[in-house]
Amino acid sequence: MNWTDERVELLKKLWSEGLSASQIAAQLGGVSRNAVIGKVHRLKLSGRGKTSATQTRSKKVNTNSAARNGNVSAGATQTTAVRTSVPKSIGATALQTDYAVEAVAQTVIRPANDVVVPISRRLSLLQLSERTCKWPIGDPLNEDFHFCGNDSGESSPYCTYHSKLAFQPASERRRVR
DNA sequence: CCCTGATTCGC
DNA sequence: GCGAATCAGG
């Protein structure tokens, strides 16, 4: 693939919109993220004007997940409560505790009380791979409605985020309130 | 481990 | 000019 005017324009556009190099590479197709970064530098449009897209996004994600993990109302209070009841377990060990989730309007997930749901690591579609869990898309307690990347993969039977819980027969899992 | 952008340097 | 490899960082 060569850098046609069109592709360069799209690159400029996406870069200015804050997409990461890898995301842009995926959009363009036929090029690696390194190629994108290299081109960006050659075009001398490195600095993306606004605030760092990476950091901004991370912070937003954390804030949102904290809010979602809380029980509906209060804002700052929620964050605190969640953090105290759930130290830094947002990874694999998080779901060793039983939990319950319930989809509310749109894609809002609301866990029960002091339960942790690993939705903090939201990734863009382009960042998903065989190794990244794709939950929440559906109900983690329902096998037929749980789309976990590792769940169906032959390589690893365990989901990094759901641990064994995600693979127990639905009948053996129990919701706890 | 996943990811990010920055830089280098052979082609 | 290009981009893989590498680096430094989150």
Side-chain angles (χ1 to χ4, degrees):
Chain A
M1 268 294 169
N2 59 318
W3 290 104
T4 61
D5 288 352
E6 285 188 358
R7 289 166 68 78
V8 172
E9 286 308 308
L10 182 56
L11 165 61
K12 289 180 180 178
K13 180 193 174 190
L14 297 178
W15 182 259
S16 65
E17 289 180 351
L19 293 192
S20 70
S22 61
Q23 291 177 309
I24 295 175
Q27 282 295 156
L28 292 171
V31 290
S32 66
R33 76 179 196 91
N34 278 321
V36 171
I37 291 175
K39 187 62 179 176
V40 164
H41 279 246
R42 267 171 254 123
L43 291 173
K44 295 179 180 178
L45 38 74
S46 181
R48 258 186 287 202
K50 306 173 183 177
T51 52
S52 168
T54 301
Q55 292 193 328
T56 301
R57 182 182 38 156
S58 301
K59 290 179 181 177
K60 283 186 176 178
V61 169
N62 290 334
T63 301
N64 291 337
S65 58
R68 293 186 180 193
N69 280 331
N71 291 322
V72 196
S73 57
T77 308
Q78 274 182 18
T79 305
T80 308
V82 172
R83 283 177 181 167
T84 40
S85 62
V86 183
K88 60 176 181 179
S89 52
I90 296 181
T93 60
L95 297 187
Q96 287 181 349
T97 322
D98 282 331
Y99 58 86
V101 293
E102 136 182 29
V104 185
Q106 301 191 337
T107 46
V108 177
I109 300 298
R110 189 159 63 79
N113 305 319
D114 58 348
V115 168
V116 189
V117 177
I119 62 174
S120 68
R121 203 177 196 248
R122 287 192 293 161
L123 305 173
S124 71
L125 291 177
L126 297 177
Q127 294 177 307
L128 295 176
S129 72
E130 301 75 19
R131 312 184 68 170
T132 57
C133 176
K134 299 164 188 62
W135 187 83
I137 292 180
D139 183 346
L141 293 179
N142 181 333
E143 292 181 321
D144 298 324
F145 200 51
H146 175 197
F147 299 95
C148 170
N150 291 333
D151 201 353
S152 58
E154 316 91 292
S155 55
S156 173
Y158 296 117
C159 167
T160 305
Y161 287 91
H162 298 150
S163 188
K164 297 180 181 179
L165 182 62
F167 306 95
Q168 293 174 349
S171 59
E172 292 179 23
R173 298 181 210 150
R174 291 184 180 178
R175 285 188 148 83
V176 173
R177 276 279 174 184

